[in-house]
């Protein structure tokens, strides 16, 4: 199920989840990360940006595949958009102590944390943008019992961390 920008905007203004009927399955996050990297491969190649995936094979959660894919794809798309030629976008993931941690890092300009999760704050890195995408990410992760965070990296770029319970 694919939503238009106006549909996403309506859902965010209403303060509702994007999908009101989650379909729970065992989600293979390494496979999802590889699919998202492949989906963005042509854009990355045109921008001369390398997308790398380093997600351990045991990174599995029970969740809504469509929503989790949408959240991860949103962060990767933003990272790719903000990473300069020659840069990298890295999707990493591991399981530890009953939770899954996915980290998406990039070499682009730093984002303005912590405001990125505020509704309609806007895209603080590349100019125009309503800020809906990152709010969708936060809502999806929260609906799965997880949390999301963003931090500036030491040298440059942003690091998005998504933590989810293994059982969803």
């Amino acid at each position: 199920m694919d939503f238009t920008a106006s549909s996403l905007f309506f859902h965010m203004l209403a303060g509702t989840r994007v999908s009101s009927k989650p379909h729970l399955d065992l989600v293979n996050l390494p496979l999802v990360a590889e699919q998202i990297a492949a989906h963005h491969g042509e854009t990355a190649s045109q921008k001369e940006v390398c997308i790398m995936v380093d997600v351990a094979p045991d990174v599995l959660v029970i969740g809504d595949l469509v929503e989790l894919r949408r959240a991860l794809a949103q962060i990767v798309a933003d990272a790719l958009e903000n990473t300069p030629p020659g840069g990298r976008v890295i999707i990493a993931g591991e399981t530890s102590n009953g939770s899954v941690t996915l980290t998406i890092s990039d070499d682009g300009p730093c984002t303005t944390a912590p405001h990125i999760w505020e509704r309609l704050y806007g895209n603080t890195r590349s100019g125009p943008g309503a800020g809906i995408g990152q709010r969708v990410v936060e809502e999806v992760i929260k609906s799965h019992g997880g949390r999301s965070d963003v931090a500036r990296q030491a040298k440059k770029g942003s690091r998005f961390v998504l933590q989810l319970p293994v059982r969803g």
Side-chain angles (χ1 to χ4, degrees):
M1 178 165 29
D2 211 11
F3 289 92
T4 63
S6 62
S7 177
L8 285 173
F9 186 72
F10 170 78
H11 285 287
M12 296 321 306
L13 285 178
T16 62
R17 290 184 47 217
V18 175
S19 175
S20 60
K21 295 182 181 179
H23 181 76
L24 301 180
D25 282 315
L26 182 62
V27 178
N28 181 334
L29 291 176
L31 179 60
V32 171
E34 289 289 350
Q35 290 171 340
I36 290 169
H39 175 76
H40 290 292
E42 185 176 335
T43 302
S45 179
Q46 289 172 353
K47 285 195 68 180
E48 298 177 9
V49 171
C50 178
I51 299 179
M52 300 169 52
V53 177
D54 182 20
V55 180
D58 65 340
V59 179
L60 307 170
V61 296
I62 294 175
D64 187 312
L65 172 63
V66 173
E67 287 190 1
L68 291 170
R69 183 183 291 143
R70 181 179 293 124
L72 187 55
Q74 177 66 48
I75 293 176
V76 171
D78 288 350
L80 184 58
E81 179 180 328
N82 289 290
T83 299
R88 297 183 308 173
V89 173
I90 302 169
I91 307 168
E94 63 184 5
T95 302
S96 177
N97 299 324
S99 70
V100 166
T101 302
L102 287 175
T103 304
I104 302 89
S105 55
D106 65 58
D107 295 336
C110 295
T111 189
T112 305
H115 299 292
I116 192 162
W117 305 117
E118 291 177 15
R119 186 175 298 173
L120 304 178
Y121 182 72
N123 184 338
T124 59
R125 298 199 292 177
S126 64
I132 295 170
Q134 299 307 327
R135 184 68 179 169
V136 169
V137 170
E138 182 182 42
E139 291 297 320
V140 167
I141 300 305
K142 280 184 176 180
S143 75
H144 284 78
R147 66 181 193 88
S148 51
D149 196 13
V150 62
R152 293 182 171 105
Q153 297 191 108
K155 294 181 182 178
K156 74 174 193 177
S158 296
R159 183 173 183 253
F160 291 83
V161 179
L162 309 177
Q163 290 187 316
L164 297 162
V166 170
R167 56 188 157 90

